Amino acid sequence: MYLEPLQRDGFVVVRNLLTPAEVSHYRTVATHATTLTRAGSWPHFRTVPKQFPPWPTTAPPASEGGIWGVQHLMHPEMPGRDAFAACYFSPSILAVAEELMGVEGSGSEPLVMELFNLLVAPETKDFELRWHRDDISELATAEEEIEQLKAKAPGGRQLHCQYNLALCEDASLVVVPGTHGRARTQTEREADPYAAVLPDQLVVELGPGDAVFYNSNILHRGVYKGKEEGGEETRLTLHGSIGLKADDEKKKVRATAVLQHGVGAWVHREDAAFGLGERPEKMRANLVEMGTGEGVGFSLQG
């Protein structure tokens, strides 16, 4: 149902993945987490104007945009962690992930816990991410792009699935359909990385409870509309990724993209257990096997 459009276009929208009651519940929890982070009570965040990790340890003031994301929603010390974990490991989300990664019956847990963060509106000003692929450099040649795209999705099957799950109206993700399977054109290479309207680009529009699952190496960017300082949160989008257990060589392909965010620093802790049954713990153990993240470097600069 979802795999065909993902393979064709590089993304697929799943409507009403959350019920209205779930949207209301998670929105309350996400708003609280965002409020604490804006107030300096949660130390893991994404800051304006930084686009990619490593992230600063001090957030800029609201007058300069403040934050545009809250990191590590499943960290043992995150307020609301139990609710975030219940969402991440929910059967409805895992079922979509399994279809998109071609998971079939297996004697061991095939999925890997990866990342779960929150994307929010910056305060007082708009903020935009440049056109990019998540873990392929913009300096790559056409030949290098093709080689890396094949390595990260062997046989057309992704080694992970990534998604944005909206708790508010969301029109922040802009993609160029089909670019997950080809090198950039000369027009795309020469375009202004921030301001360009690229041929065939599409704004993905989500309502509360909708999700977009997308190949993270589709050519895409984010456009964040600022909100009033201290006002109601206008964007609360859960940003997650789920991996597929692989052999050592394929595991290396994915390790930098995941561990660069710092999840390896806490996922092995005893208090990191979720208490949600066997599957979340097996998925967490699969992430622990990836390592701590020391020395893996960063996928992109900026």
Side-chain angles (χ1 to χ4, degrees):
M1 185 183 345
Y2 302 124
L3 179 59
E4 182 179 349
L6 177 77
Q7 291 186 325
R8 181 188 65 236
D9 301 324
F11 71 99
V12 59
V13 175
V14 181
R15 302 293 181 192
N16 302 311
L17 189 58
L18 297 180
T19 67
E22 289 172 327
V23 169
S24 178
H25 171 59
Y26 292 130
R27 184 167 178 165
T28 297
V29 177
T31 297
H32 181 58
T34 305
T35 300
L36 289 175
T37 306
R38 292 195 195 280
S41 298
W42 181 249
H44 306 292
F45 39 68
R46 302 183 179 191
T47 59
V48 176
K50 192 84 167 62
Q51 297 192 53
F52 309 115
W55 308 108
T57 55
T58 302
S63 61
E64 298 177 12
I67 65 169
W68 62 276
V70 180
Q71 298 284 92
H72 301 306
L73 299 184
M74 297 193 293
H75 190 291
E77 297 164 25
M78 161 57 77
R81 185 220 196 201
D82 290 348
F84 289 129
C87 182
Y88 181 85
F89 293 110
S90 67
S92 57
I93 291 177
L94 297 185
V96 176
E98 287 179 326
E99 179 188 344
L100 298 182
M101 292 187 289
V103 171
E104 299 176 351
S106 173
S108 60
E109 176 54 56
L111 299 186
V112 182
M113 171 189 154
E114 288 192 349
L115 305 171
F116 205 39
N117 304 310
L118 180 64
L119 306 178
V120 302
E123 292 187 292
T124 71
K125 61 169 58 180
D126 297 344
F127 172 61
E128 298 184 3
L129 301 178
R130 70 176 189 249
W131 286 108
H132 66 283
R133 305 182 192 272
D134 275 7
D135 58 343
I136 297 178
S137 170
E138 71 274 14
L139 301 178
T141 66
E143 293 75 15
E144 289 169 339
E145 281 186 289
I146 292 298
E147 181 181 351
Q148 291 180 48
L149 287 170
K150 289 180 178 178
K152 297 171 192 300
R157 292 281 188 176
Q158 295 185 105
L159 299 177
H160 76 289
C161 77
Q162 183 164 300
Y163 60 90
N164 289 353
L165 176 55
L167 303 177
C168 306
E169 298 287 338
D170 190 310
S172 300
L173 179 66
V174 188
V175 301
V176 181
T179 49
H180 65 299
R182 63 165 174 82
R184 287 167 294 168
T185 65
Q186 198 62 29
T187 296
E188 291 163 348
R189 286 178 173 276
E190 295 175 353
D192 184 315
Y194 294 96
V197 176
L198 294 181
D200 302 320
Q201 77 167 49
L202 182 149
V203 177
V204 180
E205 297 185 359
L206 304 176
D210 294 344
V212 56
F213 289 76
Y214 61 101
N215 185 314
S216 62
N217 284 314
I218 192 173
L219 193 59
H220 68 285
R221 66 192 297 248
V223 178
Y224 291 65
K225 294 295 183 182
K227 75 173 199 67
E228 179 182 351
E229 182 178 356
E232 182 181 357
E233 296 297 336
T234 56
R235 187 188 191 204
L236 295 167
T237 296
L238 296 166
H239 180 55
S241 67
I242 299 168
L244 183 63
K245 194 170 182 180
D247 58 38
D248 289 342
E249 190 58 36
K250 291 178 181 177
K251 190 183 298 182
K252 292 178 184 177
V253 171
R254 189 63 189 148
T256 296
V258 176
L259 299 178
Q260 66 180 333
H261 289 274
V263 64
W266 56 263
V267 68
H268 63 282
R269 287 169 37 171
E270 286 189 13
D271 62 351
F274 295 106
L276 295 173
E278 290 187 8
R279 189 164 204 193
E281 296 314 311
K282 289 179 179 179
M283 290 176 63
R284 182 169 70 95
N286 287 342
L287 174 57
V288 171
E289 287 181 12
M290 271 190 172
T292 63
E294 295 181 10
V296 297
F298 300 94
S299 298
L300 300 174
Q301 302 298 316

